[in-house]
Amino acid sequence: MNAMIAVDVLLEPDAATQDRARQANRSLRADHPGGFAFDASHLPHVTLVQRYVYERDLAALFAAIASVANAHNPLALSLEATGVQVRIDGETGSASWRIARAPALQALAADCLATAQSLAVSGGTARAFVPNEDGSAIRESTVRYVERFVPDHSGENFAPHLTLGHAGAAYLRHLEAAPFEAFAFAPMAVCVHQLGNHGTARRRLWRWPADT
């Protein structure tokens, strides 16, 4: 029970938004079939915090995040996707929906971060992630992202988004420049997942509210 686990405390979007994200993902994969597909082990999500924790501390993490969720009532949040942002690395890259920063969302993320930080450890490796099905290595950038989530992506640097998938650079530039109509959506759960490559939510460890 001393293994490190790369965890993502996240918001699971409502069903209609998940469907919309899956449609966008299919369009991206039509351009770049090697990109990940949303499926039973790749969930559309909005990350609140990513950290390494020991497996033995997972139960304590779940209990603490439940207390945060009960205090914040995150299912009452109204989130807004305001545009498409892309990250290009050579010939390929990723696309995400940019989520508007809002006080209630920032407060929820801050409390989840404080909770996770009390149990977080440093020095995670690729072994902390769900392995790739094809046996390929977890990217070093993925390992480093979790290690550096604090401070690089937390607090004032917290930039909420929903990653949609990967595509070629030309397609991504076209997508970024295309008109985008902002839309609102709501979370349907707070979850803790074990991360996979590229920050994907691969294995659900816990959910609030629990499945009925």
Side-chain angles (χ1 to χ4, degrees), residues 19 21-31 38 164:
D19 287 345
R22 293 176 195 279
Q23 292 173 9
N25 176 261
R26 286 192 290 270
S27 296
L28 291 164
R29 293 188 69 242
D31 179 79
F38 286 135
L164 299 167

Side-chain angles (χ1 to χ4, degrees), residues 8-11 46-50 105 108-109 112 149 158 190:
D8 193 339
V9 182
L10 58 85
L11 295 174
V46 178
T47 288
L48 298 173
V49 58
Q50 294 182 3
L105 177 60
L108 173 63
C112 286
F149 192 91
F158 177 59
V190 179

Side-chain angles (χ1 to χ4, degrees), residues 90-164:
E91 296 301 313
T92 62
S94 63
S96 304
W97 285 329
R98 186 182 302 107
I99 308 300
R101 291 167 60 96
L105 177 60
Q106 298 295 120
L108 173 63
D111 281 359
C112 286
L113 173 64
T115 294
Q117 276 294 85
S118 69
L119 297 168
V121 293
S122 298
T125 69
R127 297 180 64 183
F129 296 79
V130 176
N132 292 324
E133 292 93 335
D134 62 4
S136 61
I138 301 294
R139 288 168 59 96
E140 179 57 33
S141 60
T142 299
V143 176
R144 186 171 58 251
Y145 190 98
V146 179
E147 186 73 35
R148 294 288 305 170
F149 192 91
V150 179
D152 291 357
H153 307 286
S154 60
E156 290 300 314
N157 295 324
F158 177 59
H161 62 278
L162 192 158
T163 300
L164 299 167

Side-chain angles (χ1 to χ4, degrees), residues 1-2 14 18 118 156:
M1 295 289 285
N2 292 327
D14 59 62
Q18 289 195 44
S118 69
E156 290 300 314

Side-chain angles (χ1 to χ4, degrees), residues 1-7 52-63 118-122 203 205:
M1 295 289 285
N2 292 327
M4 282 189 194
I5 305 291
V7 297
Y52 294 112
V53 300
Y54 285 122
E55 188 175 2
R56 64 172 181 250
D57 291 329
L58 286 174
L61 176 66
F62 303 156
S118 69
L119 297 168
V121 293
S122 298
R203 181 167 72 98
L205 304 172

Side-chain angles (χ1 to χ4, degrees), residues 74-92:
L75 305 194
L77 286 173
S78 178
L79 306 181
E80 185 181 20
T82 60
V84 172
Q85 61 187 26
V86 304
R87 291 183 178 182
I88 295 174
D89 182 11
E91 296 301 313
T92 62

Side-chain angles (χ1 to χ4, degrees), residues 33-48:
F36 72 85
F38 286 135
D39 55 24
S41 68
H42 293 80
L43 178 77
H45 66 279
V46 178
T47 288
L48 298 173

